[in-house]
Amino acid sequence: MGHMFSSHVPCFLTSEHTFPHGHLHDHDLNAYKGFEEDGDQKLWVEARCAETTECKQMRAEYESCVERIAGKEDEGKHCGYQYMNMWGCVDFCAAEPTFKLLKHGV
């Protein structure tokens, strides 16, 4: 079975990645005030995860790629790798805390 991408580059979609993961601690979840005030738990947690140092680094790499290829005529250029890693960081970080909030109804 082949890889999802045309070239073999480790990313969050494989077990070969070495990228940092964002992480929220249980005490970070205590800031959630409930659905009425803070809205959907998943979106709230994802927003917090996106602000972790690790995920900010991934977002910076994605934005750097977008700037690098902006306005270039070569249609083969894309930032899919960086985009997937940016959201992979957020998803990895958000998975456990989201279920903790849902389970405990914080």
Side-chain angles (χ1 to χ4, degrees):
M1 181 181 257
H3 292 283
M4 187 172 191
F5 301 107
S6 59
S7 63
H8 178 68
V9 179
C11 71
F12 279 112
L13 298 176
T14 70
S15 60
E16 303 167 346
H17 69 80
T18 58
F19 302 111
H21 302 137
H23 184 73
L24 293 181
H25 299 283
D26 287 341
H27 66 271
D28 296 324
L29 301 180
N30 293 334
Y32 183 73
K33 297 180 180 126
F35 186 80
E36 294 77 22
E37 193 166 335
D38 287 330
D40 186 289
Q41 297 96 327
K42 180 179 181 287
L43 299 176
W44 185 86
V45 170
E46 285 178 342
R48 299 309 170 282
C49 285
E51 294 303 317
T52 63
T53 303
E54 297 85 1
C55 294
K56 280 183 177 180
Q57 175 188 346
M58 295 293 163
R59 185 174 65 233
E61 290 176 16
Y62 170 69
E63 290 171 352
S64 173
C65 177
V66 169
E67 287 178 24
R68 198 169 44 251
I69 66 171
K72 294 192 177 173
E73 297 297 321
D74 185 0
E75 293 181 23
K77 301 282 183 187
H78 62 83
C79 298
Y81 172 77
Q82 292 84 355
Y83 182 82
M84 294 297 289
N85 286 332
M86 176 184 71
W87 280 108
C89 183
V90 171
D91 287 344
F92 187 91
C93 171
E96 186 178 337
T98 299
F99 285 102
K100 282 183 179 179
L101 287 179
L102 291 172
K103 182 178 178 182
H104 298 292
V106 175

